[in-house]
Amino acid sequence: MTVCLQLTGVVVSLLGWFSSVACCLLPLWKTILFSGQTLMMKQKMVEGLWISCNIPGPGKAICRTFGSNKELTLEVYAGRILMLITVTMALLGLFVNCLGSPCIVCVRSRELKPRFLTASGITFLVSGVAQLLAVSWPAYVMATDFHHPLVSEVLLISMGPCIYLGWLGGTLLLIGGALICCPCCSRRKSDYGGQYPASGRSSDIAGRNFV
């Protein structure tokens, strides 16, 4: 049962890592629609953490990267840092989990393998929290801009698919980390609680011998 939970946690965390990588690379964080009085004036623009694309028509896209002279907002800077932390920490968690796997023979100590598994679960939890923060902050800013009274009626700002994909990836990382940590924590509690009956028996035996 413990092996099944840990294997499920690794699979779920791996899916969350793939979602985080896709969310970090795709320019679908923010969707801006410029709508004029005629259909010919409507244009769509999507932005991500690294590039922005102008879509003048179906099947056409003009993309450019954010230059150093472009003033990025604070949530974009924070999103970049948090997304890099998420991808790196999740990849590190997968590597540490491989070290704690019973199939890997490079670590032969039975005491170190549960510690590696616990460390990998904590790493996935941290990466999941960073992922949720990375997408929740821009989502809050976009929701505030959408309801702002100064925003023109011809400018429609909405959240892109990467925001929802980021929420999904962060949730998967949290679930995977929890599934990996739970068996290790329960095993430690059982080992810790099992020490006291043995000491109690030894004290009773010693008392009987003393009498």
Side-chain angles (χ1 to χ4, degrees):
M1 186 64 181
T2 302
V3 178
C4 293
L5 285 177
Q6 292 177 352
L7 183 59
T8 305
V10 172
V11 173
V12 173
S13 301
L14 186 60
L15 293 176
W17 181 72
F18 281 127
S19 302
S20 301
V21 173
C23 181
C24 182
L25 296 178
L26 293 177
L28 298 174
W29 284 59
K30 186 177 182 180
T31 303
I32 304 174
L33 181 63
F34 300 92
S35 59
Q37 296 180 356
T38 61
L39 294 176
M40 298 298 296
M41 296 179 60
K42 287 188 177 181
Q43 290 185 358
K44 184 179 180 181
M45 183 177 180
V46 292
E47 292 184 356
L49 296 178
W50 316 101
I51 62 175
S52 63
C53 297
N54 188 10
I55 305 175
K60 299 179 181 180
I62 303 174
C63 300
R64 62 187 180 90
T65 58
F66 292 147
S68 58
N69 56 351
K70 183 177 178 62
E71 295 182 358
L72 297 178
T73 56
L74 183 60
E75 65 271 10
V76 176
Y77 276 118
R80 287 181 175 184
I81 296 173
L82 290 173
M83 286 304 302
L84 291 177
I85 291 174
T86 299
V87 175
T88 306
M89 292 289 290
L91 187 61
L92 179 62
L94 291 173
F95 176 73
V96 175
N97 189 274
C98 291
L99 294 179
S101 175
C103 301
I104 303 300
V105 296
C106 61
V107 180
R108 298 181 180 181
S109 177
R110 295 183 178 179
E111 297 179 356
L112 290 178
K113 285 184 177 294
R115 295 181 181 179
F116 278 125
L117 293 176
T118 305
S120 66
I122 294 175
T123 305
F124 287 134
L125 291 176
V126 173
S127 61
V129 173
Q131 173 74 42
L132 293 178
L133 290 177
V135 295
S136 296
W137 191 355
Y140 172 76
V141 173
M142 283 183 280
T144 305
D145 293 339
F146 180 78
H147 297 286
H148 201 279
L150 297 179
V151 177
S152 176
E153 294 181 356
V154 298
L155 182 62
L156 300 177
I157 301 175
S158 60
M159 294 182 291
C162 282
I163 298 295
Y164 304 99
L165 185 62
W167 280 331
L168 176 62
T171 305
L172 290 177
L173 288 173
L174 289 177
I175 294 175
L179 290 176
I180 294 174
C181 286
C182 284
C184 298
C185 293
S186 61
R187 184 183 301 174
R188 285 187 177 183
K189 288 182 180 180
S190 62
D191 295 340
Y192 180 76
Q195 294 176 359
Y196 289 97
S199 61
R201 294 191 192 99
S202 61
S203 61
D204 294 339
I205 294 173
R208 290 176 184 177
N209 294 333
F210 179 76
V211 174

